[in-house]
Amino acid sequence: MNNLDFTGMNTTVADKLSPMVTELVRVHGANLHSFHVTGSAVISDYNEKLSDINSLVVLHAMDLKFVEFLAPLGEKYGRKRIAAPLVMTPEYIKGSLDAFPVEFLDFKLIHKTVFGNDLLKDLQIMDHNLRLQCEREIKSKLINLRQGYITSLGKRKPLTEVLVRSITGSMPVFRAIILVLGAQPPISRQDVLKAVGMAANIETGVFEELLALKAGLIKPSEQELHALFERYYAALDAAGKIIDGHHV
């Protein structure tokens, strides 16, 4: 454990992860470039009951035997809400920054390197690639919302599922939008929503309501869900138009 660094991390997350990372280092240490904890598990938004622990494993060279080694660990550690790690190599990361700039921006902004060298902190992500992916993500959400509304027939339960599915995983896109529009993206969810509202001049209260819906904190009526849908669609549409017209 001396070569693992969990300093500054939530102790619950560290305690859950320590055995798994120790096992990975013990068995595959020679090919293990680094291990990084990403996402909500390393920031104040972490909720032990709701949040998964996400991570990125970087290998010196891709090895399917490592993937085979990881597979049975899913059952062992999944009960602790440890998600299956992403597995990459430095070369893959370097060659994928233009294809997945939103995801790699979030890795850059939000990670803790617990083993090996931190190759995420200095990632060079181009603004024009970020803008294109943001535009694509927003337009995809709008298409899925329209199709989801039609499929749900406007009924309460399926419409709730459509809205929850759409808002899930939105924070990386919002952080990227903030950066594209010339501001420094914050880390915590509350600050991100405030900043994206200011940067794109859109209403973000509806995003908070949808996150509360996802967490089961509110149970709107069918009529209230329709109003949420309309406000959410309008906010995304406005953000999409801002991004579409922004040139970097």
Side-chain angles (χ1 to χ4, degrees):
M1 288 297 293
N2 291 336
N3 56 349
L4 302 184
D5 178 14
F6 288 97
T7 57
M9 285 187 61
N10 182 299
T11 54
T12 299
V13 174
D15 289 344
K16 289 181 177 182
L17 270 179
S18 291
M20 187 181 82
V21 184
T22 300
E23 193 167 357
L24 296 184
V25 173
R26 179 180 60 82
V27 180
H28 287 276
N31 192 31
L32 191 60
H33 174 284
S34 50
F35 186 99
H36 315 268
V37 188
T38 61
S40 61
V42 294
I43 60 177
S44 60
D45 292 337
Y46 177 72
N47 182 321
E48 184 178 358
K49 294 181 179 179
L50 300 175
S51 302
D52 289 333
I53 300 174
N54 297 298
S55 57
L56 169 62
V57 176
V58 181
L59 302 178
H60 291 292
M62 188 55 64
D63 181 0
L64 290 183
K65 291 191 179 299
F66 178 80
V67 177
E68 292 170 1
F69 172 77
L70 271 183
L73 298 185
E75 183 177 359
K76 181 177 181 179
Y77 293 106
R79 293 187 295 269
K80 298 181 180 182
R81 298 194 68 98
I82 299 175
L86 296 174
V87 183
M88 305 180 189
T89 64
E91 291 74 19
Y92 178 89
I93 292 172
K94 184 178 179 180
S96 301
L97 297 178
D98 57 342
F100 305 106
V102 168
E103 290 80 1
F104 281 108
L105 173 65
D106 228 50
F107 291 155
K108 178 179 180 177
L109 293 173
I110 306 173
H111 71 276
K112 166 67 177 178
T113 301
V114 300
F115 175 82
N117 297 321
D118 185 355
L119 81 174
L120 300 178
K121 61 184 176 65
D122 295 321
L123 293 178
Q124 298 298 310
I125 300 169
M126 305 300 292
D127 284 354
H128 68 273
N129 291 329
L130 271 179
R131 192 203 70 78
L132 284 173
Q133 189 179 354
C134 287
E135 179 184 352
R136 185 169 62 249
E137 295 285 345
I138 295 297
K139 288 182 175 178
S140 294
K141 283 182 180 291
L142 291 171
I143 289 173
N144 290 334
L145 281 172
R146 293 194 294 267
Q147 293 302 111
Y149 188 88
I150 294 170
T151 303
S152 75
L153 303 176
K155 299 300 182 181
R156 185 173 181 272
K157 184 177 179 181
L159 186 54
T160 297
E161 292 172 355
V162 168
L163 290 170
V164 167
R165 188 163 57 246
S166 180
I167 196 65
T168 298
S170 291
M171 290 303 119
V173 179
F174 292 160
R175 290 189 187 96
I177 289 173
I178 293 165
L179 186 62
V180 167
L181 295 179
Q184 182 61 34
I187 300 303
S188 74
R189 186 182 74 185
Q190 194 73 31
D191 291 340
V192 168
L193 293 181
K194 181 179 178 180
V196 77
M198 294 178 62
N201 194 26
I202 59 173
E203 183 223 347
T204 56
V206 66
F207 299 151
E208 279 284 4
E209 291 178 57
L210 289 181
L211 290 168
L213 177 68
K214 177 185 176 183
L217 300 177
I218 61 172
K219 298 185 181 299
S221 66
E222 191 171 296
Q223 183 178 1
E224 290 169 332
L225 269 178
H226 282 265
L228 271 176
F229 179 92
E230 291 177 3
R231 288 169 55 213
Y232 179 51
Y233 188 94
L236 284 180
D237 190 39
K241 289 175 180 175
I242 291 290
I243 290 295
D244 194 25
H246 188 77
H247 299 286
V248 295

